[in-house]
Amino acid sequence: MGFSKDEKSKRLLRAVKTLFFLITMLISLLLFSAPVLLVIADTLLPSALLSASLSPSSLSLQTLSSHLQNYDFRYSLIDIPLISILRSAIIICVYSLCDGPRLSRGPYLGITTMCSLLSLMFVSLKASVVFAGKVGGGYVRATEIALFICSLALAVGHIVVAYRTSCRERRKLLVYKIDIEAVSACKNGFPRYQKILQEQYVQ
């Protein structure tokens, strides 16, 4: 009976360790893929929220062309998902073209920050104009508010993810540099250290 309890506890501990390992690997994968996942979210979420705000009609090529033809900065919301798609396209292109050193301190962080800040200023200005026009008459839908908040949050998220990616790649380069210096120091310093030991042994 005691052996059975011990075996069950070992199995339970093994299952907990396996689950913890899988969760850790999943979190690491999500963090490593954060730029790509954020670009996908930035492409889909604003478009989905705009489509929900246009109900009962949905967002299609016909309604898209109609909104573009009748575009008015004070009322139309079609530019919010278009800004998100353009921002995401630029960021993912720069991310795919950059390697480790360029991700650490190169164009990825700078271009992502510039695109996100420009889109933040545009969306903030548009939000103030749109909501100011609806204060006197009309009402603001919850989906419209969610559309602006989502676009602003994703812009900030791009900056945060780019900064964390830059820091991660910088740490990798630092560790790689330390490893190379340690190997070269061992190669250069080991014979001299061995000679000093031999001299001390002779004395």
Side-chain angles (χ1 to χ4, degrees), residues 120-135:
L120 273 173
M121 290 188 291
F122 178 84
V123 174
S124 300
L125 177 62
K126 186 173 182 65
S128 62
V129 172
V130 170
F131 294 147
K134 292 187 176 183
V135 169

Side-chain angles (χ1 to χ4, degrees), residues 181-192:
E181 291 178 351
V183 170
S184 61
C186 287
K187 288 182 179 179
N188 297 328
F190 183 74
R192 185 172 56 186

Side-chain angles (χ1 to χ4, degrees), residues 32-195:
F32 182 77
S33 307
V36 179
L37 295 176
L38 191 61
V39 164
I40 295 173
D42 198 13
T43 305
L44 298 179
L45 284 179
S47 300
L49 289 173
L50 178 63
S51 180
S53 67
L54 295 177
S55 60
S57 62
S58 59
L59 189 62
S60 61
L61 292 177
Q62 184 176 1
T63 56
L64 178 62
S65 61
S66 176
H67 280 284
L68 289 176
Q69 290 175 0
N70 301 322
Y71 176 77
D72 190 340
F73 182 79
R74 299 169 296 175
Y75 308 110
S76 179
L77 300 177
I78 193 65
D79 48 359
I80 302 299
L82 293 180
I83 286 291
S84 297
I85 293 172
L86 179 62
R87 174 178 64 199
S88 300
I90 294 173
I91 290 173
I92 196 63
C93 287
V94 175
Y95 178 78
S96 59
L97 292 175
C98 290
D99 52 3
R102 292 180 182 176
L103 285 177
S104 62
R105 58 175 66 85
Y108 172 61
L109 180 59
I111 292 177
T112 301
T113 304
M114 182 184 67
C115 291
S116 299
L117 290 178
L118 289 176
S119 61
L120 273 173
M121 290 188 291
F122 178 84
V123 174
S124 300
L125 177 62
K126 186 173 182 65
S128 62
V129 172
V130 170
F131 294 147
K134 292 187 176 183
V135 169
Y139 64 96
V140 181
R141 295 181 179 179
T143 52
E144 295 178 357
I145 299 175
L147 177 61
F148 283 102
I149 293 176
C150 178
S151 182
L152 293 173
L154 288 171
V156 176
H158 278 298
I159 298 175
V160 173
V161 169
Y163 177 75
R164 290 180 63 88
T165 303
S166 175
C167 292
R168 186 187 68 225
E169 294 298 328
R170 198 176 297 124
R171 285 195 298 269
K172 286 183 180 179
L173 291 176
L174 181 61
V175 171
Y176 181 70
K177 182 179 179 181
I178 290 174
D179 290 341
I180 293 178
E181 291 178 351
V183 170
S184 61
C186 287
K187 288 182 179 179
N188 297 328
F190 183 74
R192 185 172 56 186
Y193 179 71
Q194 188 177 18
K195 184 177 180 181

